[in-house]
């Protein structure tokens, strides 16, 4: 676990969620690899080119901590399960047929998980396998996102049992694998690790198209995530975060219409050190700020929690100004103690490796816009720290 002070350079801590838009060339390489037109070496060469560009351009934003943009990952949710989003290299214990949709988005498209067909459950890939390749190419600390066990719990069928492998056995294996994913990320050099928990807000809506959303799973999601967090010390958990958002794929969302207060009081029961919370695209921000300030804990099993509010909307090509970012943070500080306040993006910029960008026109343009937005986030955090008299280490 590398040493890193999150207030370095900006006073108000700021970090990305994780993903960046994949260049069109890389997306084409994924499709050609799935079709058998190119080999693994050619795909990996395109991934490396995209990673190096991500790290170089990330450093140019002035950010104190960056990510490799998940350019080598099939998606934020499926990287442990398969090599590509189309299912090439799927883990042996899974089937591509009959899995649950983890989300159906506002434009009508859905994203489906594989189905668990037998035990034991083991990750096919760990986030650290990619991170180890990225660390030597960066002069800055790196952030790593991992998938929360709550999301992967949806691999198990909702209303039936896998023969010879109970849900309890599966979840015990799942918790072990998620702990390993986090520990290996720190060992590989991650300065911070956050768990993607996009299913949290969705768990409070009853979508008849998606049966698990009516199963009252939020409490169980919190419990299984806390089982993983409970395996880490308070000092370790100060560097482990939780990310929540209403989704972001093809410039669409899956649960932005669900009241945030269905989630927030429960979410802060997780004993993580910090939370990355979508807010830039939220219509009515003050009630959310107020709820965060009321439920954010000063002592979550030995660690004080920090709320990184979203000040950048990845779903729109409009670049927020540093002044807008500063204004949002100053306003949030009226509800959230400034020593527990941070800044982030609403979501990863491209959670899935094959990602159309209808609002942007092309993934390459979306990629250019993403770095401009990140630069505004960093500059705005620094401006807000000055206004709030927060010293920069």
């Amino acid at each position: 676990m590398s040493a890193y002070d999150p207030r370095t350079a900006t006073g108000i801590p700021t970090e990305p969620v994780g993903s960046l838009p994949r260049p069109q060339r890389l997306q084409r390489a994924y499709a050609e690899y799935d079709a058998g037109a190119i080999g693994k070496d050619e795909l990996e060469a395109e991934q490396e080119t995209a990673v190096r560009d991500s790290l170089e351009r990330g450093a140019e934003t002035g950010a104190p901590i960056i990510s490799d943009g998940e350019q080598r990952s099939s998606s934020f949710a499926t990287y442990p399960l398969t090599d590509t989003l189309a299912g090439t290299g799927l883990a042996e214990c899974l089937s591509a047929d009959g899995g649950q949709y983890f989300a159906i988005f506002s434009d009508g498209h859905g994203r489906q998980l594989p189905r668990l067909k037998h035990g034991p459950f083991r990750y096919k890939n760990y986030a650290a396998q990619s991170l180890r390749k990225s660390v030597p190419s960066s002069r800055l600390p790196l952030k790593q996102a991992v998938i929360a066990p709550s999301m992967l719990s949806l691999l198990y069928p909702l209303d039936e049992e896998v023969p010879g492998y109970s849900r309890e056995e599966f979840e015990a294996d799942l918790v072990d694998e998620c702990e390993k994913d986090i520990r290996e990320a720190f060992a590989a050099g991650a300065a911070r690790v956050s768990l993607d928990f996009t299913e949290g807000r969705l768990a409070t809506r009853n979508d008849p198209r998606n049966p698990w959303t009516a199963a009252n799973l939020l409490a169980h999601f919190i419990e299984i995530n806390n089982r993983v967090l409970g395996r880490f010390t308070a000092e370790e958990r100060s560097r482990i975060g939780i990310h929540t958002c209403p989704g972001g794929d093809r410039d669409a969302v899956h649960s932005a219409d669900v009241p945030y207060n269905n989630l927030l009081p429960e979410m802060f029961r997780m004993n993580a050190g910090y939370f990355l919370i979508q807010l830039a695209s939220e219509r009515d921000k003050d009630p959310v700020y107020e709820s965060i300030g009321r439920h954010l804990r000063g002592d979550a099993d030995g660690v004080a929690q920090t709320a990184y509010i979203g000040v950048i909307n990845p779903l729109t090509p409009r670049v927020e100004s540093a002044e807008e970012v500063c204004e949002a943070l100053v306003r949030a500080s009226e509800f959230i103690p400034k020593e527990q306040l941070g800044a982030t993006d609403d979501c990863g910029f491209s959670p899935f490796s094959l990602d159309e960008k209808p609002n942007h026109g092309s993934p390459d343009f979306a990629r250019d816009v993403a770095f401009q937005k990140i630069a505004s986030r960093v500059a705005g955090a620094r401006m807000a720290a000055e206004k709030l008299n927060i010293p920069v280490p």
Side-chain angles (χ1 to χ4, degrees):
M1 187 183 296
S2 63
Y4 168 69
D5 181 349
R7 297 189 180 277
T8 298
T10 54
I12 290 176
T14 185
E15 72 176 56
V17 171
S19 66
L20 292 164
R22 279 77 165 178
Q24 184 67 65
R25 183 168 169 173
L26 175 57
Q27 294 197 39
R28 185 165 52 248
Y30 271 111
E32 290 173 346
Y33 177 68
D34 284 324
I38 65 172
K40 189 73 173 290
D41 289 348
E42 292 168 283
L43 173 62
E44 289 179 346
E46 291 295 344
Q47 290 172 331
E48 291 306 313
T49 298
V51 165
R52 288 180 179 273
D53 182 68
S54 298
L55 295 173
E56 290 171 6
R57 296 176 72 179
E60 290 169 0
T61 66
I65 184 169
I66 59 176
S67 83
D68 64 11
E70 301 176 13
Q71 307 293 288
R72 302 185 188 91
S73 300
S74 58
S75 79
F76 78 104
T78 59
Y79 71 87
L81 314 176
T82 182
D83 294 336
T84 75
L85 196 56
T88 304
L90 187 66
E92 191 275 332
C93 64
L94 300 172
S95 170
D97 299 322
Q100 300 183 76
Y101 282 93
F102 87 76
I104 298 173
F105 289 81
S106 53
D107 63 355
H109 86 278
R111 292 291 188 177
Q112 191 171 14
L113 290 169
R115 175 179 55 83
L116 185 72
K117 60 182 183 180
H118 63 73
F121 174 70
R122 297 290 183 270
Y123 281 16
K124 172 78 181 297
N125 306 299
Y126 296 89
Q129 292 168 236
S130 175
L131 183 63
R132 288 190 190 97
K133 299 176 184 178
S134 301
V135 167
S137 299
S138 177
R139 59 179 175 80
L140 291 173
L142 293 185
K143 150 78 183 291
Q144 181 62 54
V146 302
I147 189 60
S150 49
M151 169 70 82
L152 295 185
S153 70
L154 297 174
L155 294 170
Y156 203 94
L158 185 62
D159 295 318
E160 59 187 81
E161 186 143 315
V162 174
Y165 192 49
S166 69
R167 184 180 295 276
E168 290 73 20
E169 290 172 310
F170 162 69
E171 291 188 351
D173 287 340
L174 172 59
V175 168
D176 287 344
E177 289 296 277
C178 187
E179 177 192 5
K180 182 178 178 181
D181 203 23
I182 297 169
R183 290 199 183 280
E184 290 204 359
F186 280 133
R192 311 269 280 181
V193 174
S194 66
L195 283 70
D196 280 317
F197 185 53
T198 187
E199 67 280 11
R201 194 167 176 179
L202 189 56
T204 69
R205 105 180 286 174
N206 184 349
D207 185 341
R209 301 169 299 173
N210 203 8
W212 75 261
T213 64
N216 298 313
L217 289 177
L218 181 59
H220 184 62
F221 285 171
I222 301 294
E223 185 269 335
I224 197 170
N225 291 344
N226 263 340
R227 283 171 63 184
V228 173
L229 293 168
R231 297 186 175 188
F232 294 86
T233 66
E235 194 279 330
E236 290 170 328
R237 284 183 288 109
S238 71
R239 304 181 186 204
I240 299 175
I242 300 288
H243 168 239
T244 183
C245 73
D249 182 37
R250 299 180 185 171
D251 295 332
V253 296
H254 57 58
S255 56
D257 58 333
V258 177
Y260 235 147
N261 272 330
N262 289 3
L263 169 67
L264 292 179
E266 297 301 310
M267 185 181 74
F268 292 111
R269 290 177 44 225
M270 287 186 282
N271 294 319
Y274 67 102
F275 293 81
L276 306 163
I277 305 168
Q278 168 267 342
L279 257 162
S281 56
E282 197 70 14
R283 290 182 180 178
D284 194 4
K285 296 179 176 59
D286 281 4
V288 183
Y289 294 152
E290 189 277 332
S291 183
I292 292 169
R294 182 153 40 94
H295 294 104
L296 194 67
R297 290 190 286 163
D299 183 359
D301 194 20
V303 60
Q305 295 177 332
T306 300
Y308 286 62
I309 67 164
V311 292
I312 296 295
N313 181 2
L315 302 183
T316 173
R318 188 185 75 82
V319 178
E320 297 85 349
S321 69
E323 290 76 14
E324 286 178 82
V325 170
C326 173
E327 182 181 344
L329 290 166
V330 170
R331 179 62 177 171
S333 73
E334 297 180 22
F335 302 88
I336 303 166
K338 64 182 183 180
E339 63 274 12
Q340 291 178 275
L341 180 64
T344 189
D345 312 311
D346 273 5
C347 188
F349 284 89
S350 188
F352 297 90
S353 57
L354 298 179
D355 182 23
E356 301 165 5
K357 293 288 186 184
N359 289 346
H360 294 77
S362 77
D364 290 336
F365 176 68
R367 187 171 171 83
D368 292 340
V369 166
F371 291 109
Q372 296 173 43
K373 285 174 171 272
I374 292 167
S376 287
R377 167 168 53 79
V378 174
R382 190 178 293 113
M383 289 172 60
E386 292 174 1
K387 284 198 171 186
L388 296 172
N389 296 314
I390 297 173
V392 177

